[in-house]
């Protein structure tokens, strides 16, 4: 694969692609966020439908679980099964759980108008892969002590990672859709677009979305002084910690632009990784960093919290479009924070 390179200023990394490099002005006002309904209610409804479909196919959804309980009860007793029968029962129960979850996802995919059922990601690794800065993305005077800048996570699994930037459009339908489909995604937030409605992303966080740093005001960082960059990055760390109870480890510089000061400041503020992206998704097309214009294991996909005022579609339209590409190519969406 060959990297599509861009002309750089000295010690300035411009790694954005497509429309991401366009500055955005003004403060976006989001719609009121959806008050979160109990997650178990949604899941229960989906599982009822899924179990129904399993029964219609002649599958007893209780068989594996019951077998697991029986094996546990009798393993090691006189005349009972061997000790490994309990483990086999557990595995069978886990397999049944996965089957039911995927059946529920199929129901949700039809509900939300997806072209196909999203594939299930494998379990995350027990140990996260070692990530280093992508060749050509280094800064002058940088070393391995700085947070790595990467566009792809090292893995041989057919998984990709979905990330959403800024925080302008706050569509309650997106929250419902992603919860129903059980698709993980990571949010990289800029405070000037989020401060009018922190609650929307608290709801997203309660549904499993990780909240990460995208600076206070989405400014071009290499054009700022050291102190100005520190305010943009570290003050946003403080705000996210205050509002969401966790201090981000991941940081994405606006437009994908950074320099040595950016990475050193980010490290001092608690950042351990700087994920950029390999692809950018829109409701009507994909933009590709690599010349082969294809997905690869571990690719990071960028999109934005935007709506019809910015592009040709809603956030659910965006999800339908990008998931068709991902699923058609045989990939599943995994959670970035489980790997980076």
């Amino acid at each position: 694969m060959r990297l599509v390179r861009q002309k750089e200023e000295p010690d300035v990394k411009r790694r954005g692609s497509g429309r991401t490099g366009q500055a955005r002005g003004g403060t976006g006002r989001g719609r009121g966020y959806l008050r979160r309904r109990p997650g178990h209610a949604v899941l229960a409804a989906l599982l009822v439908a899924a179990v129904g479909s399993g029964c219609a196919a002649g599958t007893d959804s209780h068989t594996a679980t019951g077998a697991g309980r029986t094996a546990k009860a009798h393993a090691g007793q006189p005349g009972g099964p061997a000790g490994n029968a309990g483990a086999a029962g557990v595995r069978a129960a886990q397999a049944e759980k996965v089957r039911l979850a995927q059946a529920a996802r199929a129901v949700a995919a039809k509900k939300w108008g997806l072209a196909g059922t999203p594939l299930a990601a494998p379990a995350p690794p027990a140990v996260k892969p070692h990530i280093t800065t992508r060749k050509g993305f280094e800064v002058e005077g940088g070393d391995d002590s700085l947070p790595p800048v990467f566009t792809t996570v090292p893995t041989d699994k057919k998984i990709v990672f979905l990330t959403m930037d800024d925080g302008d459009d706050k569509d309650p339908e997106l929250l419902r859709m992603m919860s129903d489909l059980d698709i993980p995604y990571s949010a990289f937030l800029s405070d000037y677009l989020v401060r009018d409605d922190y609650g929307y992303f608290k709801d997203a966080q309660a549904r499993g979305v990780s909240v990460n740093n995208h600076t206070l005001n989405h400014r071009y960082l290499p054009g700022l002084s050291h102190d100005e960059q520190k305010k943009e990055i570290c003050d946003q760390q403080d705000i996210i910690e205050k509002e969401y109870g966790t201090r981000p480890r991941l940081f994405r510089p606006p437009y994908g632009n950074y320099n040595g000061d950016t990475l050193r400041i980010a490290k001092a503020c608690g950042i351990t990784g700087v994920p950029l992206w390999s692809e950018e998704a829109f409701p009507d097309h994909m933009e590709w960093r690599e010349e082969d214009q294809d997905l690869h294991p571990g690719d990071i996909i960028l999109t934005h919290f935007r709506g019809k005022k910015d592009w040709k579609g809603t956030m659910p339209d965006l999800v339908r479009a990008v998931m068709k590409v991902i699923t058609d190519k045989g990939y599943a969406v995994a959670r970035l924070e489980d790997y980076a």
Side-chain angles (χ1 to χ4, degrees):
M1 296 180 292
R2 293 180 55 197
L3 176 67
V4 178
R5 304 293 298 272
Q6 297 185 2
K7 183 178 179 181
E8 303 172 8
E9 298 175 8
D11 194 30
V12 174
K13 299 302 177 183
R14 296 184 175 182
R15 301 306 180 192
S17 63
R19 302 176 197 174
T20 309
Q22 298 174 357
R24 302 183 61 199
T27 303
R29 300 293 296 180
R31 294 193 291 273
Y33 74 98
L34 171 68
R35 295 292 179 184
R36 182 175 181 244
R37 296 180 297 173
H40 62 268
V42 176
L43 181 58
L46 292 173
L47 286 178
V48 166
V51 171
S53 66
C55 292
T59 302
D60 182 355
S61 61
H62 301 286
T63 301
T65 305
R69 286 197 297 266
T70 302
K72 287 182 179 179
H74 297 287
Q77 296 180 3
N84 63 0
V90 171
R91 288 194 298 270
Q94 290 173 339
E96 179 68 359
K97 182 179 178 181
V98 170
R99 188 191 71 79
L100 288 175
Q102 192 62 7
R105 187 176 286 117
V107 172
K110 291 182 179 179
K111 170 186 173 181
W112 289 101
L114 271 66
T117 302
L119 302 176
V127 178
K128 294 180 180 180
H130 178 61
I131 299 176
T132 58
T133 292
R134 178 172 174 164
K135 186 176 181 180
F137 287 58
E138 305 90 347
V139 294
E140 185 177 350
D143 55 37
D144 291 343
S145 69
L146 293 178
V149 181
F150 55 100
T151 62
T152 299
V153 172
T155 180
D156 59 358
K157 307 295 184 183
K158 289 197 74 172
I159 56 172
V160 294
F161 306 98
L162 185 60
T163 65
M164 300 185 187
D165 279 10
D166 300 348
D168 186 6
D169 190 78
K170 303 171 184 66
D171 189 344
E173 287 290 283
L174 175 70
L175 299 183
R176 288 192 286 263
M177 181 182 199
M178 300 303 268
S179 292
D180 286 357
L181 293 167
D182 193 23
I183 297 174
Y185 62 105
S186 303
F188 288 81
L189 303 180
S190 292
D191 189 65
Y192 86 103
L193 291 171
V194 174
R195 65 174 67 114
D196 68 326
D197 192 356
Y198 289 123
Y200 177 87
F201 292 100
K202 287 182 181 178
D203 194 349
Q205 184 186 39
R207 295 166 182 260
V209 177
S210 297
V211 178
N212 302 291
N213 190 330
H214 198 44
T215 72
L216 283 177
N217 299 298
H218 207 275
R219 300 179 66 187
Y220 174 73
L221 295 179
L224 304 182
S225 69
H226 182 280
D227 288 346
E228 288 172 327
Q229 285 206 52
K230 183 177 179 181
K231 180 176 179 62
E232 284 291 319
I233 300 169
C234 298
D235 283 13
Q236 179 68 342
Q237 288 283 92
D238 295 340
I239 288 173
I240 291 177
E241 184 174 26
K242 176 184 175 181
E243 295 295 333
Y244 301 103
T246 182
R247 196 167 183 82
R249 295 181 299 99
L250 301 181
F251 162 68
R252 176 175 284 158
Y255 318 116
N257 297 148
Y258 58 96
N259 59 16
D261 277 351
T262 309
L263 300 185
R264 284 184 280 270
I265 291 167
K267 177 186 175 183
C269 292
I271 296 299
T272 60
V274 181
L276 298 186
W277 60 92
S278 291
E279 296 86 24
E280 183 171 0
F282 298 86
D284 58 345
H285 72 285
M286 294 279 287
E287 293 184 359
W288 310 85
R289 185 184 292 274
E290 311 298 343
E291 290 185 348
D292 64 357
Q293 298 192 8
D294 201 0
L295 295 179
H296 315 93
D299 276 2
I300 299 170
I301 300 174
L302 164 69
T303 191
H304 293 81
F305 291 98
R306 295 182 186 172
K308 286 188 174 181
K309 74 178 193 294
D310 292 309
W311 57 21
K312 298 177 181 178
T314 64
M315 290 301 297
D317 291 334
L318 174 281
V319 173
R320 281 186 279 269
V322 70
M323 289 309 302
K324 184 177 190 320
V325 173
I326 292 169
T327 304
D328 284 354
K329 291 179 178 292
Y331 283 80
V333 178
R335 183 175 179 270
L336 178 60
E337 290 76 7
D338 289 337
Y339 289 78

